[in-house]
Amino acid sequence: VISSLDDIDELLPGPEACTTRDVEEEGPVDKLLVGFTSINNGAIMFKFVTPCIDCHFIGTGDVFSALWAAWMHVHPTNFPLTIRKCLWTLNVILTKTVEYATQVTKKPLAELEPTDLELRIVDCIKEIRDPEMSGDIFMV
């Protein structure tokens, strides 16, 4: 994965890149996010493992971009903190969305449709404003 990111770095003009893949650690499938940034003329590579929520959501890229822009404005030189806040907050939004959808529709997780999964952004305003993060970003 790291050599692939090096190849991407040579192809893309921007300072950041991320990729994900499913990993089976001990138990359910998790999502592994690996990325890098070249902020301040120094490369930082990281990995972050988060539980996989097996649903098809619409709008997560837009939410991630908005969170990224907001937290990069607050922490312009702290890439690990920024990505950690973004990922943690997005995970909370998706988890609350699934909890709400299964409660309202009475469907099991496997039967939820994208139309059942309207992102619960307003319900997560506290977490968006002040993330209480869990999980770590590991530098590679």
Side-chain angles (χ1 to χ4, degrees), residues 3 22 24 60 75 89 95:
S3 65
D22 294 339
E24 290 187 42
T60 55
H75 307 289
T89 305
T95 300

Side-chain angles (χ1 to χ4, degrees), residues 53 57-60 62-64 66-67 85-101 117-129:
I53 301 171
F57 297 94
I58 296 172
T60 55
D62 295 335
V63 173
F64 182 85
L67 292 168
K85 285 184 175 188
C86 290
L87 293 174
W88 186 87
T89 305
L90 187 57
N91 187 277
V92 168
I93 292 169
L94 298 181
T95 300
K96 284 190 176 187
T97 297
V98 168
E99 289 170 357
Y100 180 82
L117 296 166
E118 181 178 331
L119 297 178
R120 308 301 298 170
I121 296 170
V122 175
D123 293 344
C124 300
I125 195 69
K126 177 185 173 288
E127 292 86 354
I128 292 170
R129 288 183 177 154

Side-chain angles (χ1 to χ4, degrees), residues 7 14 54 84 86 98 132 138 140:
D7 294 341
D54 195 17
R84 191 170 167 216
C86 290
V98 168
E132 294 177 22
F138 298 99
V140 204

